[in-house]
Amino acid sequence: MEDTPITLGMALMDFIPNLGYLVGAYFLVRLILRERGQRCGRMAMLGALLVFLGGTLKATSKLLDALNNRPYTVNVLSEAQFVMLAIGFLGTVTALILLARERRPSTPLSAALLFIAPWKIPFLLVMTLCQFGALGLLTYLSFRRKIILSGALFITSAVLTLLMAGMASGSQVLGMQWIEQSINSLAQISFAIAAFKLDRTSQQQKAIAC
């Protein structure tokens, strides 16, 4: 990472993906609560809150860097995300497996992870597998229920997330960080729209079936 200070605009933009994810998670939790009951819904809710909290802590760390006119710094707030996201996505994907248990879901491959601190490796592996496992299950559920738009948007979110991960291993100049955060924002907005459509259409399909 270069020594260019984090700008306030960049720091504030880092909250957008977290808000996008929270909106999408709300509709997923509502869907799981409705179709799999409170126990499964609470698991999904806890997982979603941990993912949101982990991302928000990192964004808060970046905001503090911007307010102090310094480059991005590694600290407890920024590093806590690895633990929270790993546990959070694990809870989310477990709830989604229960939601989709009528059929055997497919398991997507995880992305390659390079140049990371050794203690992060187990958390990053769990986080990556569960994150893309969740997106794979959501895509499967969407196409199984013939909600094509949701399926396409979940795929879009996964592709953009992979693209962002690939860029993150390269140069971290200020301009590249803007591009990465823009891609992440688009990924989470796609996730939010897809989750909303999946929840709404599933509710309508169930009403028609009754």
Side-chain angles (χ1 to χ4, degrees), residues 131-142:
Q131 181 179 14
F132 287 100
L135 288 171
L137 283 165
L138 287 167
T139 301
Y140 162 77
L141 281 168
S142 298

Side-chain angles (χ1 to χ4, degrees), residues 94-110:
T94 301
L96 287 171
I97 289 172
L98 294 174
L99 180 64
R101 65 183 177 182
E102 292 88 353
R103 297 181 185 178
R104 186 177 178 182
S106 57
T107 305
L109 297 176
S110 62

Side-chain angles (χ1 to χ4, degrees), residues 109-131:
L109 297 176
S110 62
L113 301 171
L114 303 173
F115 308 112
I116 55 177
W119 72 267
K120 297 178 184 176
I121 293 175
F123 295 108
L124 282 170
L125 288 175
V126 173
M127 180 184 74
T128 303
L129 287 170
C130 291
Q131 181 179 14

Side-chain angles (χ1 to χ4, degrees), residues 133-163:
L135 288 171
L137 283 165
L138 287 167
T139 301
Y140 162 77
L141 281 168
S142 298
F143 285 124
R144 192 182 74 186
R145 299 183 182 195
K146 297 181 172 55
I147 310 173
I148 307 302
L149 177 60
S150 287
L153 286 172
F154 284 129
I155 292 173
T156 299
S157 180
V159 171
L160 290 173
T161 301
L162 281 172
L163 178 61

Side-chain angles (χ1 to χ4, degrees), residues 23-42:
V23 171
Y26 165 78
F27 291 108
L28 289 184
V29 170
R30 196 170 78 160
L31 172 63
I32 293 169
L33 276 170
R34 186 171 64 245
E35 298 194 9
R36 284 295 177 269
Q38 289 191 356
R39 183 174 297 180
C40 190
R42 286 171 182 167

